[in-house]
Amino acid sequence: MFVTLNPDVLATRYASNQMQEIWSINNKIIAERNLWVLVLKIQKELGLKINEQAISNYEKVVNEINLDSIRKREEKTRHDVKARIEEFNALAGFEEIHKGLTSRDITENIEQLQIKKSLELVQFKTIAVLSILSKLAKEYSDLAIAGRSHNVAAQITTLGKRFASTIEELLISFENLNHFLANYPLRGFKGPVGTSQDLLDLFDQDVVKVNSFEKSIANKLGFEKVLNSVGQIYPRSLDFDAISNLYSLSSPLSSLAISIRLMAGNELVTEGFKEGQVGSSAMPHKMNTRSCERVNGLHLVLKGFLNMASDISGQQWNEGDVSCSVVRRVSLPGAFYAIDGILETTLTILHEFGVFKGAIKAELEKYLPFLVTTKILMAAVKNGVGREKAHDLIKKHSTKAALALREGKDLDLINDLANEKELMLKKEDLERIMTDELKVVGNAKNQIEDVLKNVEKVIKNNPEASSYKPHKIL
C-alpha cells in the first residue's frame, strides 16, 4: 500500500482527529464514490437506464481503497479523477458511473462539502471557546489590574474586561461565519463549461429533469443554495471568503494569546504548566507560554493561506482552468488544520489558565498613583481648573515620579500633586480617589455583563458545544 513518508505537520501535530478525518485522502475518495453512487440512483429515478446490479456492486466496494493502485493509474493517466474512476469501475466490475459529468462535477462539490463540514466544526468549537471565555470574564470581573495602552501602565481595568473584549470581537467574527455558512452555495452539476450540455443530452433536452437532478443531489449533500451560472469551477472568491472567516476568528484569539504572554512575562498569570512539563532544556526554572506562542504562530500560518486564496481569486481564464489546483490542495486543508489547532490550543490555555493575585496586587500598588492621573485630571477640571493647564501640571509631576521610579528612587507623587496649589486639590481628595481600585475602573463591570448576555444567547442554543473539552495537545 502507498505510504506517505512525509505527513502533513499541520494535520498530525496541531489539528484534531475530527478535522483530519474530514480532509483525509481516504475519506475524500469515499465521499466521491458515494457521490457517484448517489448520481446513479437519482439518474435512474429520473428515467435513465441504469443497471441495478451495477449500483449494488459499486456500493459494496465504496470502502475498498488501495492508494497504491490509484497512484499507479494516475502515473499513467496523469489525471487524478480519471484514475479514481478507473479504480472504482474495476472494483465494481461495471462502467456506469460519471455519465454526463466532468471531473469538476465531482471534485468541486466534494471539496465544498469538506469546506462546509469543516466550517461547521469550527463553528462548534468557537462556541466552546466563547463558553470558557465567558466563565473567565465573569470569574475575574472584579479583579482590578493595571490596564496598559502601548504596553505602558495607563488606567485601572479588570482582568474580566480583557476577556470580555476578546469575546466581543470573537462574537462579531462568529456572526459573520454563521451568515457565510447559511448562504454558502454549491456549484452543482454544470459540466465542462457550465452549460449542463452533457446532462441535457442524457435527459433528451429535458431542462426540468436536469434541474431536478441537480437540486436533489444538492439537498442530499446538505446545501440549500446552488449557483445558477458558473463555468467549469465555482468562483475562487468563495475560497477566499471561507479562509477570511477563519482568519477573522483567529485574530481575537491571537491578540488574547499575546496579552497572556505579556502578563505571564510579568508573573501575573499562567497559561498552565503541568507536572512533568519542561520550559527549557537549558534553563530548568523556565515556565514558558509555549501554547500562546503556538496560537500566534498558527495565526501567521493562516495568514499565509489567506494570501494564497487571495491570489487565486480573480485569476481564472474564461470558463476556468486548474492553475489554482496545487494552491487549493495545500491551502484549503491547511487553513482548516491551522484554525483547528488554534481553537484546540486556545481551549487548552483557557481551561488551564491561572492568576497570581499577589503579583497583580503588587503591580497595581506600584503604579496606582499613575493609573489614577486621568481621574485626578477630571477632579481638577470639575474644580474649575483649565483642562490643559491641569494636564500640564499633572504631567510635570507624574513624569518626574515615573523617571525616579525607574531609577529605583521613591517619590511621593500624591504629596507633590497636593502641594501644587494651582490644581486646587487637597491631599485627602487625592487619597480618596485612590481608596478603592474598583471605583476607578469606569463602566467595566456593566460592559462585561452586557457582553455575557450576548454569549448566553449563543450557548443556550448549543449546550453540547459549550461543554466540549479540547483534545490533548502536544
Side-chain angles (χ1 to χ4, degrees):
M1 182 176 178
F2 174 69
V3 178
T4 302
L5 299 178
N6 297 295
D8 187 331
V9 67
L10 277 175
T12 58
R13 184 169 181 82
Y14 303 117
S16 66
N17 291 337
Q18 302 147 295
M19 191 64 79
Q20 289 186 60
E21 286 173 5
I22 293 173
W23 292 95
S24 73
I25 182 61
N26 282 34
N27 281 347
K28 183 175 183 179
I29 291 172
I30 290 172
E32 286 180 347
R33 289 178 176 181
N34 282 326
L35 181 55
W36 271 314
V37 171
L38 178 61
V39 165
L40 284 179
K41 289 181 176 179
I42 301 297
Q43 287 177 337
K44 184 176 176 62
E45 288 176 7
L46 291 172
L48 292 188
K49 292 182 179 179
I50 305 293
N51 189 313
E52 188 66 44
Q53 186 60 49
I55 295 176
S56 178
N57 281 20
Y58 280 119
E59 287 182 315
K60 289 177 182 177
V61 297
V62 161
N63 296 315
E64 293 183 21
I65 298 173
N66 187 328
L67 295 179
D68 189 49
S69 177
I70 295 172
R71 184 180 179 86
K72 287 177 180 177
R73 293 180 187 277
E74 187 177 349
E75 287 173 353
K76 180 181 178 180
T77 62
R78 290 191 174 183
H79 195 290
D80 56 347
V81 178
K82 186 65 165 68
R84 296 199 289 274
I85 291 172
E86 291 180 357
E87 179 77 5
F88 199 22
N89 282 339
L91 289 170
F94 284 89
E95 289 188 7
E96 290 278 2
I97 61 168
H98 211 65
K99 291 179 180 179
L101 307 183
T102 189
S103 299
R104 292 291 165 175
D105 285 322
I106 296 298
T107 58
E108 297 281 297
N109 290 311
I110 290 303
E111 285 159 5
Q112 286 196 278
L113 182 60
Q114 289 175 297
I115 291 170
K116 184 173 183 292
K117 287 182 176 180
S118 297
L119 288 172
E120 288 169 347
L121 182 58
V122 169
Q123 188 181 47
F124 179 87
K125 292 187 180 182
T126 301
I127 297 170
V129 171
L130 286 167
S131 177
I132 184 63
L133 277 171
S134 65
K135 291 175 184 176
L136 291 170
K138 185 175 182 179
E139 180 179 356
Y140 298 116
S141 63
D142 290 338
L143 183 57
I145 60 173
R148 292 174 177 269
S149 59
H150 311 279
N151 200 34
V152 176
Q155 281 187 327
I156 298 176
T157 185
T158 70
L159 183 56
K161 179 166 164 57
R162 276 196 181 152
F163 287 119
S165 296
T166 299
I167 291 171
E168 183 136 76
E169 184 180 359
L170 187 58
L171 277 173
I172 294 170
S173 299
F174 180 69
E175 289 169 5
N176 289 338
L177 172 63
N178 293 343
H179 178 77
F180 179 74
L181 254 175
N183 293 279
Y184 187 54
L186 188 69
R187 172 191 177 269
F189 294 79
K190 302 293 196 298
V193 295
T195 62
S196 304
Q197 180 62 60
D198 295 348
L199 284 171
L200 278 169
D201 289 341
L202 273 180
F203 287 107
D204 297 323
Q205 310 307 311
D206 191 330
V207 175
V208 174
K209 283 190 176 181
V210 170
N211 290 340
S212 178
F213 166 80
E214 185 174 58
K215 289 180 181 178
S216 294
I217 295 178
N219 289 337
K220 291 286 185 181
L221 294 179
F223 286 82
E224 295 183 5
K225 296 185 178 182
V226 181
L227 291 168
N228 293 312
S229 180
V230 294
Q232 188 177 90
I233 64 171
Y234 68 78
R236 295 310 183 222
S237 56
L238 281 176
D239 290 343
F240 175 78
D241 288 342
I243 299 177
S244 178
N245 271 280
L246 304 185
Y247 188 72
S248 179
L249 280 170
S250 75
S251 296
L253 303 183
S254 182
S255 292
L256 176 63
I258 290 175
S259 292
I260 292 174
R261 289 172 65 187
L262 291 169
M263 287 189 286
N266 288 323
E267 312 292 347
L268 305 177
V269 304
T270 175
E271 67 167 23
F273 198 83
K274 293 224 164 192
E275 184 178 351
Q277 186 172 331
V278 176
S280 167
S281 63
M283 296 163 282
H285 72 282
K286 295 196 74 176
M287 294 184 287
N288 305 340
T289 49
R290 44 90 71 179
S291 295
C292 285
E293 292 171 17
R294 174 178 295 182
V295 170
N296 296 145
L298 288 172
H299 180 64
L300 289 177
V301 169
L302 190 50
K303 183 179 182 180
F305 290 129
L306 180 62
N307 288 338
M308 293 167 70
S310 70
D311 283 347
I312 62 172
S313 299
Q315 293 293 331
Q316 291 301 316
W317 293 13
N318 299 318
E319 276 62 57
D321 63 90
V322 293
S323 61
C324 60
S325 178
V326 64
V327 177
R328 296 178 71 251
R329 288 177 194 270
V330 174
S331 63
L332 288 177
F336 283 106
Y337 292 151
I339 189 63
D340 195 59
I342 289 171
L343 290 167
E344 287 287 328
T345 305
T346 298
L347 283 167
T348 300
I349 293 166
L350 297 177
H351 277 286
E352 298 179 4
F353 181 81
V355 303
F356 304 117
K357 292 185 178 179
I360 289 174
K361 184 174 179 59
E363 183 188 62
L364 201 58
E365 289 176 350
K366 175 182 178 181
Y367 292 115
L368 186 57
F370 304 100
L371 298 173
V372 297
T373 54
T374 55
K375 196 169 181 66
I376 294 170
L377 175 62
M378 292 302 99
V381 169
K382 288 174 72 174
N383 280 350
V385 183
R387 195 266 182 197
E388 300 311 314
K389 181 177 181 180
H391 183 282
D392 287 342
L393 292 171
I394 296 169
K395 176 178 175 289
K396 179 180 71 172
H397 292 288
S398 60
T399 53
K400 179 182 176 182
L403 291 172
L405 184 65
R406 292 165 192 168
E407 294 291 339
K409 300 175 183 177
D410 188 17
L411 289 184
D412 190 345
L413 175 59
I414 295 301
N415 196 53
D416 288 345
L417 291 174
N419 291 331
E420 185 62 69
K421 295 181 180 180
E422 291 184 89
L423 271 179
M424 299 172 62
L425 290 171
K426 298 177 181 178
K427 188 171 183 178
E428 52 265 33
D429 297 327
L430 297 169
E431 288 176 341
R432 192 180 306 113
I433 289 173
M434 297 186 5
T435 300
D436 187 352
E437 295 95 339
L438 290 177
K439 289 182 178 178
V440 290
V441 295
N443 202 28
K445 192 160 187 176
N446 290 331
Q447 292 170 346
I448 295 169
E449 289 175 356
D450 289 340
V451 168
L452 294 185
K453 287 177 185 176
N454 292 328
V455 179
E456 286 174 8
K457 298 174 186 176
V458 175
I459 296 174
K460 184 179 180 181
N461 297 323
N462 301 275
E464 290 183 11
S466 63
S467 60
Y468 175 79
K469 297 295 187 295
H471 294 253
K472 288 184 178 180
I473 62 172
L474 292 175

